[in-house]
Amino acid sequence: MKNIYKYFIPTENIVARGGLTDVAALLPPYCKIVLLVTGKNSARKFGYTDIIIDSLKSAGINTIVFDKVEEDPSIETADTAAKIALKNNCNTVIGLGGGSALDAAKAAAIGGATGISIEKLLEMKEKPMEKLFFVAVPTTAGTGSEATQYSLLSNKEKNTKLNLATENSFPDIALLDAELTVSMPVNLTRNTGVDALAHAIEGYLTTRANPFTDILAESAITTVAENIHKVINNPNDISAREKMLIASNIAGRVIAHTGTSACHALGYYLTLVNGLPHGLANAVLLGKIVKWVSKFSPGKVEVIERILKNNVEDFMKTLNIDVSLSNYNLTDDDLINMANIAAGRSSTKATPGSPSANQLVELLK
Ligand SMILES: [Fe+2]
């Protein structure tokens, strides 16, 4: 059968304010030793690590904590987590945190089940389907990692990210507990929120979009447009927080099928070389890519601008985001390197018009 398009998400999504306190109830009976994968600071600082340990302990489940995931996690970090899962016979991984922690945890669930190093898994064309039971608990609203099969790991020598994904690497369960996102500071709220917006818009515009992803993307763009200012101006607005979390999840479902675009492909360089947070890098670049795409797909760009009540760059300005690349200390060499690396990525090739490296440099100027 020739596959025209498909929509497939095997993840059970649970929306539950305060649900983390009962996380053990989400696990099947065979889960006896859990590897908890988190970042270095927030999970412990806000008590989330202890909440999970307590919930699991009361259900007779042991927790091994790996809390060393850095921003834009390296292949080595994911491999270390996988080896800890193997050594301790973990049959479950819980990832808690932003996209970095979730992506590293996802890779650990694959490496921990297969016993194959993450480096080798990344190289394999036919990847094994095994993974440990995997629960993803986002504490930011933006990456949508809990709704995708992707684990993006940084190759810091090549200034780009590699993607470990199989058809079976979606989380088994995504727990969307909006109470966990209330403690996000304003900058993180904004930077992750615009990442969700970028996922929805890029997925909507890419040549890999399909009717299922289009409707989800329009919904996610609308929800972000209606709620991102609310969560920035009133961080305790739990209803708006929950809507942003759901929008992020929906945008994640979009890119699970469409991938991203030249925007993310370029943004990885800005993050790894110039230190811009992932979402902010996309926010700076998104309007430039949308402008390029408007030559090929004007109708869809009109829909986006109608929902945002602005063009993308002006919408970013309403969030106090400086979209002038010239203000981010980029040299001409940076622009050329960034464009050369991005031009080789499949997400750039799936951007309408498939911009070449030279065309990317031009649109960035
Ligand atoms: Fe992203």
Side-chain angles (χ1 to χ4, degrees), residues 272-283:
L272 295 176
V273 178
N274 299 78
L276 260 72
H278 172 73
L280 182 59
N282 294 324

Side-chain angles (χ1 to χ4, degrees), residues 9 13 97-99 102 137-148 174-176 181 184 188-189 191-201 216-217 219-225 227-228 240-256 278:
I9 292 270
N13 291 278
L102 299 190
V137 188
T139 59
T140 64
T143 70
S145 176
E146 80 285 356
T148 76
L175 173 60
L176 305 181
T181 67
M184 269 194 290
L188 188 59
T189 297
N191 293 345
T192 51
V194 288
D195 191 29
L197 184 63
H199 294 161
I201 290 178
L216 293 172
S219 161
I221 297 166
T222 303
T223 307
V224 172
N227 290 283
I228 192 165
R241 287 284 194 188
E242 193 167 86
K243 285 176 182 150
M244 285 297 293
L245 194 52
I246 290 170
S248 164
N249 182 281
I250 292 172
R253 291 157 188 251
V254 173
I255 58 165
H278 172 73

